[in-house]
Amino acid sequence: MFNYRTNLGQAEFENPIFTASGCAGSGKELSQFFNLTELGAVVTKSIMLKPRSGRATPRMAETPSGMLNSIGLQGPGIDQFLETDIPWLREQGATIVVSIAGESTEDYAVLARKLRAVPGLAALEVNISCPNVENRGQVFACHPATARAAIEAVRRNIGGELPIIAKLTPDVTSIVEIAQEVVAAGADAIALINTVLGMVIDTTTMRPKLAGKTGGLSGPAIRPIAVRAIYQVHEALPQVRILGMGGVSSGLDAFELILAGASAVSVGTATFGNPTAVIKIKEELKNELIEHGFDSLREAVGYAHRSEGNLI
Amino acid sequence: MFNYRTNLGQAEFENPIFTASGCAGSGKELSQFFNLTELGAVVTKSIMLKPRSGRATPRMAETPSGMLNSIGLQGPGIDQFLETDIPWLREQGATIVVSIAGESTEDYAVLARKLRAVPGLAALEVNISCPNVENRGQVFACHPATARAAIEAVRRNIGGELPIIAKLTPDVTSIVEIAQEVVAAGADAIALINTVLGMVIDTTTMRPKLAGKTGGLSGPAIRPIAVRAIYQVHEALPQVRILGMGGVSSGLDAFELILAGASAVSVGTATFGNPTAVIKIKEELKNELIEHGFDSLREAVGYAHRSEGNLI
Amino acid sequence: MSELVSNKKVGAYHHMVFSVGEIASVAKPGNFVAIAVGGESSQLVLRRAFAIYRTFDRGSSAGLLEIVVAPHGAGSIWLTNQVPGTKIDLIAPLGNAFGIPTEPVRALLVGGGYGSAPLFGLSEVLKNRGCRVDMVLGASTAMKIYAPLDGKRSVSSLTITTEDGSTGTAGKVTDVLPEIIAASQVDIIYSCGPMGMLEAINKIAVDFNIVHQCSIEESMACGIGVCMTCVLPIKGEDGVIRMLRSCIDGPVVDAETVIWDSKRSIPEGTWGAN
Amino acid sequence: MSELVSNKKVGAYHHMVFSVGEIASVAKPGNFVAIAVGGESSQLVLRRAFAIYRTFDRGSSAGLLEIVVAPHGAGSIWLTNQVPGTKIDLIAPLGNAFGIPTEPVRALLVGGGYGSAPLFGLSEVLKNRGCRVDMVLGASTAMKIYAPLDGKRSVSSLTITTEDGSTGTAGKVTDVLPEIIAASQVDIIYSCGPMGMLEAINKIAVDFNIVHQCSIEESMACGIGVCMTCVLPIKGEDGVIRMLRSCIDGPVVDAETVIWDSKRSIPEGTWGAN
Ligand SMILES: Cc1cc2nc3c(=O)[nH]c(=O)nc-3n(C[C@H](O)[C@H](O)[C@H](O)COP(=O)(O)OP(=O)(O)OC[C@H]3O[C@@H](n4cnc5c(N)ncnc54)[C@H](O)[C@@H]3O)c2cc1C
Ligand SMILES: Cc1cc2nc3c(=O)[nH]c(=O)nc-3n(C[C@H](O)[C@H](O)[C@H](O)COP(=O)(O)OP(=O)(O)OC[C@H]3O[C@@H](n4cnc5c(N)ncnc54)[C@H](O)[C@@H]3O)c2cc1C
Ligand SMILES: Cc1cc2nc3c(=O)[nH]c(=O)nc-3n(C[C@H](O)[C@H](O)[C@H](O)COP(=O)(O)O)c2cc1C
Ligand SMILES: Cc1cc2nc3c(=O)[nH]c(=O)nc-3n(C[C@H](O)[C@H](O)[C@H](O)COP(=O)(O)O)c2cc1C
Ligand code: FES
Ligand code: FES
């Protein structure tokens, strides 16, 4: 019997295929296409303290094998989210990973306090790839100190229970340095990678296509960057579990991230092209693993790092 | 009459379409397909002090809308290069931009000294996106201090004459910071962007596909990253000329980089798919500019930055 | 996968028919389809949305669905180049539908360019409900007017405007609307076309105090409500402006609830704006 | 652009014919073509290389060029799915050619899988020069032996080996080589196929002290010598190992000059190694 189970820190999951934050709505929209219990976990869109309108439109531009988005974290705020979204997901029997985002270190602390007593959560994904209003809008995850502060704030306030997955941006000189910092600050696992900062200029209007000018690049175009980041962090911190993501649209793509060192894989942009992509990927990855002779997912995690002489 | 001329620092060019370093061989190979004088400039592959075998194979992996390479700067070394490549290019009447790369600050100084007396060069592209053996193999352009030191070494040794174009990697937390640093150190222009660090894992062998494990991602996949980097640097340093590159394969793509702030555009990976891509792009860009009502290339440089009310 | 059954050039557009089975029986006027474009190794990762022009419900397996496509960029050009027999990856029906009045009313349908496509199905439904249906179609030039013969049969009057005067009245749809509204004593306007046109029609609808439903075309990444790229600011009954998804709360919206002219900015007072 | 004239499945392969005009008159056995794959909005940015199987020089406009393609990954599957009449973006001839002896010699041609393709054109040239040509083709299974009837005519003997024994001798080409070399008193070996096979053939050629030219298949990004991705370590006449481009200094190389088994590392003593 093939063992598809995986874990991120203390959190155990039936299978390693998750939705990516911000790419699965509230879960309701996808539940028309399949049963949410089929997923390793539903990762919610990053929720903030207060309601957010998000950025103006256009918020999206297609790019070669990818897309830019600048949603700007539109959402109802944590209170309404806990009142409506979470109970609904629990009713469905979904495994829930809540993603949070803040504008200040204090935001992260407050969000963690609001979540510590919430039952039925598997883990917390802490999106620190967002602008810090207290630091000239610089992204938390871009600097060791702010990345550390955000994760520490969550760690202190969440209580020892809920595993913390720190989600990092690849737009840094050394992703390993940031990863080491957030692990030191109390992160149990790392989510890699958030979108890559990009821009498209509309050659008709001759201005940036997105109202927010820059946006986050996602989709197959960035997969080589994701694989590299995962490989580097797994090499430096082999004991830390990684939730991989970035351009996965097939089981083979997911397998690549697993071999690089991911213990689970989130699927984002692929869902936009195919609402049932996550289910397809889950089946395909399992078949890949079995065909390559693995008895369990865990054996394959980081397998690309084995020394040259080693053969399966 | 449409004015297609451009400049990078003091260097003037007939038109803004160049080859990209490392993507046009010695020039000879492409001269079978068109006359090199048709190009704004031939940018040579980065030349180092000594002969280099480069990395082992496989050196290449295709990726969605892009490719990884890890050539490792294979080349004959500066002495042979000056003896054979440069005289040949001069005979053709090509406009020459020599690209140099070093393993230490001292390498850059020596390369600059060897080049200062060489006649017939239009500019020097200083590739500082390569590993510094004196600093744990860290890339010069990844850190302000090493980036600055490399450019200063060139500036001091080249004499006041030859314009210096500093070529930066996008794999940094703040490309603007590095750009400011190299300009302060004496760079006349900035080349943006070198390849993005990536990795592909071969799902058959379950190891990194490239012998060198990581490689540089190029091609259309990275164009949004290039446009963003160019836009950011032009915004911060509007007086500094930019040689843009990254995923340009049509005149419209080149136009996008020009609008973002590039004064000239290098074409790399597109040449692999189409040997005459540079010529096609040169014609297409000119037509785009004319159709959009520009009388000269220079008017279009950075046009996407104009304030909202402004219409052409 | 749905088989492409027919692909015919009509003026500047392609009229395309797909064999979609049961889908045909559930689609309503206003719904759209989302089609994957570019083939197997496509660099186009997102589907393209197309308004459903018509459906033929011929029993579960033989249902047909028709769209009208303007070859414009990479995706639509690829699609219009496909030959009958090709299997196309298509999701439908998506989005909401035009609201159908419960009583017979006098309806005016206004379409710009290929925006006429969903209006013919709508006019048939309205006619079956005993409504009077007038139609105004506008475009820059004659080739861009999509008005097939059998479509025309379902309307009481058809007025055409082209900006270059190559057919019908020279000018824009909005030039002829006031007169028709007055003459036909229109109760409700349905419109579909470019944003600028919808906004202009809305001004007239507001002036005449007529209900106006329009079908919006925002850039959509997913078409199923999960990405939040397709939003537009809409004032709710509680007076609060919210960024609503045009793919599931639309594409049909009450025009007077839309905050027009908010392009590239969040209207003041929007819920969660800061 | 070259028109695809014919596309026929032959065993596990596709035999594809293109109308290429004058190119047909300059291509030599050993040259290859580079073909753009995936169509207009393809995410496949690099061309794929294919050995030229045959050319028909029928005057400047009517020249034909033939290749044999194994549907393998995204690019080759796309190519083999194209229908006659399609315009294909093709660059040829590229690379060097097999060296042709000036005197009549006894040649042995060894092909693995679709590696047989360039050998038939070669055998015709050799035959016209008065050479005796023996041929050995090997593959894992019968379906992967490419040996068309008219090709066979140009060889004096044809030996086939398959690993599963489904046709010919069960085993590898190298199992039968020593006997044939001895029997035919072979002067020169030409080979084309997977690297492992070429290396194994080379061992035998060295043992027998026979000249051996092989056609190499390295990953190529450009095919025209500008990217340096396709290199392999080759020992020059001066005894120095250099990383040479298999696209312009190859694909045909003298097997004994290749540093075999250097995969994933630079051989010691290579020029510029550090
Ligand atoms: C609800 C809805 C209904 C539509 N109905 C039709 C129809 O009936 N007939 C028809 O020809 N087209 C219709 N469109 C537009 C269509 O979806 C494509 O946007 C259009 O064909 C251009 O795509 P492309 O790939 O050819 O061009 P590209 O310019 O290459 O498109 C690139 C990207 O921009 C987006 N985009 C470009 N133009 C538009 C636009 N006007 N609106 C929204 N997104 C855009 C595309 O979705 C794509 O992601 C509709 C769009 C929407 C949202
Ligand atoms: C000189 C030369 C001659 C060739 N002749 C033939 C031929 O006659 N018939 C034939 O079917 N194929 C031939 N090939 C292999 C062919 O070019 C493609 O590599 C093969 O079809 C796989 O491409 P793909 O897109 O289907 O697969 P993918 O696996 O998707 O290819 C992805 C990438 O890897 C490279 N690649 C994959 N496999 C190989 C390989 N074995 N060798 C080199 N590069 C590879 C491709 O170029 C491409 O960039 C030849 C290759 C070379 C270099
Ligand atoms: C439309 C969109 C919205 C996103 N919203 C969020 C978000 O709210 N929080 C977050 O951590 N990441 C967000 N992301 C990033 C994704 O979770 C994921 O890290 C990234 O898109 C790479 O994966 P992919 O290539 O599979 O999409 C978003 C991505 C997209 C495309
Ligand atoms: C095969 C290959 C070799 C390259 N060699 C060099 C080099 O020697 N020096 C350098 O500065 N950049 C080098 N580059 C980077 C290109 O000059 C260019 O910055 C990058 O590829 C982005 O442009 P593109 O997408 O048009 O290829 C190389 C790129 C490729 C693909
Ligand atoms: S298109 Fe994704 S939410 Fe509407
Ligand atoms: S394939 Fe580019 S140099 Fe050989």
Side-chain angles (χ1 to χ4, degrees):
Chain A
M1 251 292 289
F2 182 78
N3 181 349
Y4 212 11
R5 294 180 68 80
T6 191
N7 69 296
L8 297 171
Q10 316 279 53
E12 288 261 352
F13 302 90
E14 288 284 342
N15 74 66
I17 303 300
F18 300 6
T19 59
S21 178
C23 301
S26 64
K28 267 201 189 98
E29 299 84 355
L30 287 184
S31 71
Q32 300 173 283
F33 295 94
F34 55 85
N35 201 315
L36 298 181
T37 55
E38 291 212 41
L39 297 174
V42 172
V43 181
T44 70
K45 61 190 163 189
S46 297
I47 193 76
M48 304 191 75
L49 266 187
K50 303 215 192 86
R52 291 263 290 199
S53 65
R55 291 250 184 81
T57 56
R59 289 179 171 185
M60 168 317 245
E62 203 180 31
T63 68
S65 296
M67 64 174 280
L68 288 185
N69 86 79
S70 74
I71 307 302
L73 297 169
Q74 174 168 352
I78 185 78
D79 294 334
Q80 187 184 320
F81 174 79
L82 291 179
E83 241 166 70
T84 59
D85 292 38
I86 291 297
W88 185 87
L89 285 169
R90 291 194 63 194
E91 252 167 54
Q92 308 303 305
T95 304
I96 308 169
V97 173
V98 170
S99 169
I100 58 170
E103 294 187 307
S104 67
T105 309
E106 178 59 18
D107 278 6
Y108 285 102
V110 177
L111 285 162
R113 274 202 295 278
K114 295 211 180 227
L115 282 159
R116 69 182 296 172
V118 176
L121 306 185
L124 200 61
E125 187 176 274
V126 185
N127 174 6
I128 55 172
S129 314
C130 44
N132 179 349
V133 295
E134 291 167 342
N135 185 17
R136 294 168 292 131
Q138 292 217 37
V139 170
F140 286 94
C142 275
H143 303 284
T146 47
R148 170 186 272 270
I151 298 300
E152 273 174 356
V154 174
R155 177 82 291 163
R156 264 200 316 275
N157 288 280
I158 200 68
E161 313 273 291
L162 215 54
I164 297 175
I165 309 164
K167 183 161 176 182
L168 307 185
T169 169
D171 294 325
V172 292
T173 307
S174 167
I175 190 99
V176 167
E177 182 187 3
I178 306 290
Q180 283 164 334
E181 204 67 33
V182 295
V183 167
D188 302 283
I190 313 269
L192 296 168
I193 58 175
N194 215 313
T195 54
V196 179
L197 197 66
M199 181 186 278
V200 165
I201 289 172
D202 182 327
T203 49
T204 305
T205 63
M206 298 189 282
R207 294 189 187 282
K209 186 148 179 186
L210 303 181
K213 292 186 180 174
T214 58
L217 184 61
S218 64
I222 67 167
R223 195 169 63 240
I225 304 175
V227 171
R228 183 264 298 171
I230 293 165
Y231 190 94
Q232 288 179 324
V233 171
H234 186 72
E235 184 98 341
L237 300 165
Q239 78 290 0
V240 177
R241 295 271 186 269
I242 295 171
L243 171 56
M245 68 205 71
V248 171
S249 52
S250 72
L252 221 48
D253 298 343
F255 188 39
E256 216 190 319
L257 271 62
I258 300 281
L259 292 169
S263 289
V265 171
S266 277
V267 176
T269 305
T271 295
F272 305 163
N274 173 9
T276 56
V278 269
I279 302 303
K280 178 187 83 114
I281 292 166
K282 177 184 140 185
E283 300 305 331
E284 288 176 352
L285 172 62
K286 189 171 172 183
N287 292 338
E288 276 311 320
L289 289 163
I290 291 170
E291 270 170 36
H292 279 86
F294 292 104
D295 293 326
S296 70
L297 169 78
R298 286 195 176 96
E299 287 168 44
V301 172
Y303 195 70
H305 293 259
R306 71 199 187 281
S307 57
E308 282 290 334
N310 247 347
L311 288 171
I312 185 171
Chain B
M1 252 294 288
F2 182 79
N3 182 350
Y4 213 11
R5 294 181 68 80
T6 191
N7 69 296
L8 297 171
Q10 315 280 52
E12 288 261 352
F13 302 90
E14 288 283 342
N15 73 67
I17 303 299
F18 299 7
T19 59
S21 179
C23 301
S26 65
K28 267 200 190 93
E29 299 85 355
L30 286 184
S31 71
Q32 300 173 282
F33 296 94
F34 55 85
N35 201 315
L36 297 181
T37 55
E38 291 212 42
L39 297 174
V42 172
V43 181
T44 70
K45 59 190 164 188
S46 297
I47 193 75
M48 303 191 76
L49 266 186
K50 303 213 193 89
R52 291 263 290 200
S53 65
R55 292 249 183 82
T57 58
R59 290 179 171 184
M60 183 289 264
E62 203 180 30
T63 68
S65 297
M67 64 174 281
L68 289 185
N69 87 80
S70 74
I71 308 302
L73 297 168
Q74 174 168 352
I78 185 78
D79 293 335
Q80 185 183 322
F81 174 78
L82 291 179
E83 241 167 71
T84 59
D85 292 38
I86 292 295
W88 186 87
L89 285 169
R90 291 194 62 195
E91 250 167 53
Q92 307 303 304
T95 304
I96 308 169
V97 173
V98 170
S99 170
I100 59 170
E103 294 187 306
S104 66
T105 310
E106 179 59 16
D107 277 7
Y108 285 102
V110 177
L111 285 161
R113 275 201 295 278
K114 295 214 179 225
L115 282 158
R116 68 182 296 174
V118 176
L121 306 185
L124 200 62
E125 189 176 271
V126 185
N127 174 6
I128 54 172
S129 314
C130 45
N132 179 351
V133 295
E134 292 167 340
N135 185 16
R136 294 169 290 132
Q138 293 218 35
V139 170
F140 285 93
C142 275
H143 303 284
T146 47
R148 169 185 273 269
I151 297 300
E152 272 173 357
V154 174
R155 178 82 289 164
R156 263 199 315 274
N157 288 281
I158 200 67
E161 313 274 291
L162 215 55
I164 297 176
I165 309 165
K167 183 161 176 181
L168 307 185
T169 168
D171 294 324
V172 292
T173 308
S174 167
I175 190 98
V176 167
E177 181 187 5
I178 307 290
Q180 283 165 334
E181 204 68 31
V182 295
V183 167
D188 303 284
I190 313 269
L192 296 168
I193 58 173
N194 215 313
T195 53
V196 179
L197 197 67
M199 180 186 278
V200 164
I201 289 172
D202 183 327
T203 49
T204 305
T205 63
M206 299 189 283
R207 293 189 187 281
K209 184 146 182 190
L210 303 181
K213 292 187 181 175
T214 58
L217 183 61
S218 64
I222 67 167
R223 195 168 63 241
I225 304 175
V227 171
R228 183 264 298 172
I230 293 164
Y231 191 95
Q232 288 179 324
V233 171
H234 186 72
E235 184 100 339
L237 301 165
Q239 78 290 359
V240 177
R241 294 272 186 269
I242 295 171
L243 171 56
M245 67 205 70
V248 171
S249 54
S250 71
L252 221 49
D253 298 343
F255 188 39
E256 217 189 318
L257 271 62
I258 301 281
L259 292 169
S263 289
V265 170
S266 277
V267 176
T269 305
T271 294
F272 304 164
N274 174 10
T276 56
V278 270
I279 304 303
K280 179 188 81 117
I281 292 165
K282 178 185 138 185
E283 300 305 329
E284 287 175 351
L285 172 62
K286 191 172 170 181
N287 291 339
E288 276 312 321
L289 289 163
I290 292 170
E291 271 170 35
H292 279 85
F294 292 105
D295 293 326
S296 70
L297 169 78
R298 286 195 176 96
E299 287 168 43
V301 172
Y303 195 69
H305 294 259
R306 71 198 186 281
S307 57
E308 283 290 334
N310 247 347
L311 289 170
I312 183 172
Chain C
M1 298 294 250
S2 305
E3 189 175 316
L4 174 60
V5 175
S6 152
N7 177 0
K8 294 217 175 72
K9 207 159 181 293
V10 181
Y13 306 120
H14 281 244
H15 170 235
M16 305 187 75
V17 185
F18 301 88
S19 169
V20 295
E22 293 186 339
I23 290 171
S25 62
V26 287
K28 296 207 183 77
N31 290 163
F32 65 94
V33 303
I35 298 182
V37 291
E40 273 293 330
S41 346
S42 176
Q43 61 161 26
L44 308 172
V45 297
L46 303 174
R47 285 171 190 266
R48 302 296 188 262
F50 298 94
I52 296 174
Y53 160 46
R54 265 191 328 201
T55 53
F56 282 101
D57 176 12
R58 301 182 178 167
S60 64
S61 65
L64 298 179
L65 182 153
E66 309 182 25
I67 62 176
V68 178
V69 181
H72 166 77
S76 52
I77 290 173
W78 178 89
L79 185 61
T80 53
N81 279 338
Q82 299 309 298
V83 292
T86 310
K87 299 281 181 205
I88 300 288
D89 179 354
L90 173 159
I91 305 179
L94 294 171
N96 65 4
F98 288 110
I100 306 298
T102 45
E103 322 222 311
V105 295
R106 281 148 305 185
L108 175 60
L109 278 49
V110 190
Y114 57 73
S116 63
L119 301 181
F120 295 107
L122 174 63
S123 78
E124 252 171 61
V125 171
L126 291 172
K127 244 189 146 187
N128 292 341
R129 295 271 175 110
C131 299
R132 176 191 163 91
V133 180
D134 294 292
M135 186 180 274
V136 180
L137 301 181
S140 55
T141 186
M143 292 284 278
K144 295 196 173 169
I145 295 289
Y146 187 77
L149 260 187
D150 48 356
K152 286 183 202 166
R153 274 190 222 116
S154 64
V155 300
S156 307
S157 85
L158 172 63
T159 309
I160 287 176
T161 68
T162 55
E163 286 172 45
D164 67 0
S166 51
T167 186
T169 312
K172 301 188 165 195
V173 289
T174 42
D175 297 338
V176 301
L177 284 192
E179 199 173 322
I180 296 171
I181 292 172
S184 298
Q185 295 189 293
V186 167
D187 298 308
I188 180 166
I189 297 177
Y190 295 95
S191 68
C192 182
M195 281 299 235
M197 185 190 98
L198 304 182
E199 185 179 356
I201 295 170
N202 190 53
K203 287 216 178 86
I204 295 173
V206 169
D207 282 351
F208 281 86
N209 198 18
I210 308 175
V211 176
H212 173 203
Q213 290 201 349
C214 59
S215 176
I216 294 282
E217 211 187 287
E218 270 287 347
S219 280
M220 292 181 180
C222 76
I224 57 164
V226 298
C227 76
M228 309 300 284
T229 61
C230 64
V231 297
L232 77 172
I234 290 191
K235 190 176 259 174
E237 292 187 355
D238 55 4
V240 177
I241 302 167
R242 292 185 181 77
M243 300 301 282
L244 295 188
R245 287 164 288 188
S246 62
C247 67
I248 57 172
D249 298 314
V252 178
V253 296
D254 283 334
E256 62 166 351
T257 65
V258 175
I259 311 301
W260 298 97
D261 200 24
S262 66
K263 218 168 136 49
R264 301 185 79 88
S265 68
I266 298 281
E268 274 210 34
T270 301
W271 193 63
N274 46 5
Chain D
M1 298 293 250
S2 305
E3 188 175 316
L4 174 60
V5 175
S6 153
N7 176 1
K8 293 216 175 74
K9 208 158 179 292
V10 182
Y13 307 119
H14 281 244
H15 170 236
M16 304 186 76
V17 185
F18 302 88
S19 170
V20 296
E22 292 184 340
I23 290 171
S25 62
V26 288
K28 295 205 184 77
N31 290 162
F32 65 94
V33 303
I35 298 182
V37 291
E40 274 292 328
S41 344
S42 176
Q43 62 162 23
L44 309 172
V45 297
L46 304 174
R47 283 170 192 269
R48 302 298 189 259
F50 299 94
I52 296 174
Y53 160 45
R54 264 189 331 199
T55 53
F56 283 101
D57 175 13
R58 303 181 174 166
S60 64
S61 64
L64 297 179
L65 182 153
E66 308 182 26
I67 62 176
V68 178
V69 181
H72 166 77
S76 53
I77 290 173
W78 178 87
L79 185 60
T80 53
N81 278 338
Q82 299 309 297
V83 293
T86 310
K87 299 281 179 203
I88 300 288
D89 180 354
L90 173 158
I91 305 180
L94 295 172
N96 66 5
F98 288 109
I100 306 297
T102 44
E103 323 222 312
V105 296
R106 282 149 302 184
L108 175 60
L109 278 49
V110 191
Y114 58 73
S116 63
L119 300 180
F120 295 107
L122 173 63
S123 79
E124 253 172 59
V125 172
L126 291 171
K127 249 200 140 178
N128 292 340
R129 296 271 177 111
C131 300
R132 176 193 161 88
V133 181
D134 294 293
M135 187 182 273
V136 179
L137 301 182
S140 55
T141 185
M143 292 284 277
K144 295 195 173 170
I145 296 289
Y146 187 78
L149 260 187
D150 49 355
K152 287 181 201 166
R153 275 191 220 116
S154 64
V155 299
S156 307
S157 85
L158 172 62
T159 310
I160 285 177
T161 67
T162 54
E163 287 173 45
D164 66 0
S166 51
T167 186
T169 311
K172 301 191 165 193
V173 289
T174 43
D175 297 337
V176 302
L177 283 192
E179 200 173 321
I180 296 172
I181 292 172
S184 298
Q185 296 189 292
V186 166
D187 299 307
I188 181 167
I189 297 177
Y190 295 95
S191 68
C192 183
M195 282 299 236
M197 185 190 99
L198 304 183
E199 184 178 355
I201 295 170
N202 190 53
K203 288 214 179 88
I204 296 173
V206 169
D207 282 351
F208 282 85
N209 198 17
I210 306 175
V211 176
H212 173 205
Q213 290 201 349
C214 59
S215 176
I216 294 282
E217 211 188 287
E218 270 287 346
S219 279
M220 293 181 180
C222 76
I224 57 164
V226 298
C227 76
M228 309 301 285
T229 61
C230 64
V231 298
L232 77 174
I234 290 190
K235 190 176 260 175
E237 293 187 354
D238 54 4
V240 177
I241 302 167
R242 292 185 181 78
M243 301 301 281
L244 295 189
R245 287 164 286 188
S246 63
C247 66
I248 60 172
D249 299 315
V252 178
V253 296
D254 283 335
E256 63 166 351
T257 65
V258 175
I259 312 301
W260 298 97
D261 200 23
S262 65
K263 219 169 133 51
R264 302 184 80 87
S265 69
I266 297 282
E268 274 210 32
T270 301
W271 193 63
N274 48 5

